[in-house]
Amino acid sequence: MDVKLPIALQRLIAHLEKLPSVGHRTAMRHATALLNWKDADLAAFADELAHLHERVLACPICGNYTDGGPCPICASPNRNPAQICVVETPAQIEGVERTGCYRGLYHVLGGKFSPLSGVGPEQLRCKELRQRLENGLVKELILATSTDVEGEATANFIATQFHAEGLTITRLAIGIPTGADLSYTDSSSLAQAIAGRRTM
Ligand SMILES: [Zn+2]
């Protein structure tokens, strides 16, 4: 028998189901948990959601998440400006940072090539990456895009288009299974992949 839920609860469940790895049953569980929250906590949660795009901005240099202005990594005097690790998403920065074995800077492309969805170099932050290389300070570009077909195509594009005198372009390889997304790769495999990167 189908139990008809209140409309507001159905809407809430529908929103929650849009989140990654949340199916109907999990959405239902989260929705009923929210029903038990105090009004003040619900209001605080709603306020964060309502202002998410105003409060979480993109770093004007690398594209990482920031409160405003350059992100803490770009602003740090302790990072090596000669290395830029190219990733698809800010979540992947988090993954590389967790290894604790990389002290260079980052560049977030904002995705990877996807001919079917119409994502090519124009839709990604490739132009911004080129601008960052103009000062000649960068000696190594580490391509840490995914190891699936789209991620490889993105890496190959950058390797061929950004080839320049005095710039080494490397690719993470060892230890990361094909198709893996860096944000979910365990730290020791990722640390090995950074240490064992190969020149493209
Ligand atoms: Zn930044």
Side-chain angles (χ1 to χ4, degrees), residues 59 62 71 74:
C59 170
C62 75
C71 73
C74 288

Side-chain angles (χ1 to χ4, degrees), residues 1-192:
M1 193 177 64
D2 233 15
V3 183
K4 195 90 176 124
L5 295 169
I7 301 291
L9 194 52
Q10 288 182 33
R11 281 201 303 258
L12 180 57
I13 291 167
H15 283 303
L16 293 168
E17 277 178 334
K18 291 178 193 161
L19 293 168
S21 344
V22 176
H24 186 75
R25 285 165 63 97
T26 307
M28 177 83 192
R29 214 167 62 234
H30 288 337
T32 47
L34 285 166
L35 271 177
N36 291 326
W37 284 22
K38 291 195 190 81
D39 281 344
D41 291 334
L42 286 173
F45 187 23
D47 180 74
E48 292 300 346
L49 293 177
H51 297 97
L52 197 58
H53 284 148
E54 289 158 46
R55 292 173 182 163
V56 182
L57 302 170
C59 170
I61 301 168
C62 75
N64 189 13
Y65 296 137
T66 172
D67 294 318
C71 73
I73 295 172
C74 288
S76 169
N78 301 318
R79 308 293 301 214
N80 177 6
Q83 284 181 316
I84 291 184
C85 178
V86 180
V87 293
E88 292 158 13
T89 65
Q92 292 173 339
I93 293 183
E94 186 64 31
V96 177
E97 285 298 287
R98 263 201 318 270
T99 66
C101 65
Y102 178 69
R103 301 302 300 160
L105 301 173
Y106 292 92
H107 190 82
V108 179
L109 290 172
K112 55 189 168 185
F113 283 13
S114 175
L116 288 179
S117 321
V119 179
E122 294 298 313
Q123 284 69 40
L124 302 176
R125 299 179 65 252
C126 291
K127 200 174 73 217
E128 288 85 346
L129 179 59
R130 198 176 288 285
Q131 282 163 1
R132 291 182 72 185
L133 300 178
E134 276 169 8
N135 61 16
L137 283 176
V138 181
K139 301 296 172 215
E140 182 180 4
L141 268 191
I142 302 169
L143 306 180
T145 52
S146 306
T147 51
D148 57 11
V149 176
E150 294 90 350
E152 290 294 348
T154 311
N156 286 328
F157 171 84
I158 295 173
T160 48
Q161 297 297 309
F162 287 70
H163 186 76
E165 192 68 38
L167 179 70
T168 305
I169 301 182
T170 58
R171 176 87 169 113
L172 303 192
I174 304 158
I176 299 185
T178 301
D181 180 331
L182 278 193
S183 9
Y184 305 109
T185 304
D186 75 272
S187 290
S188 64
S189 302
L190 194 47
Q192 271 180 41

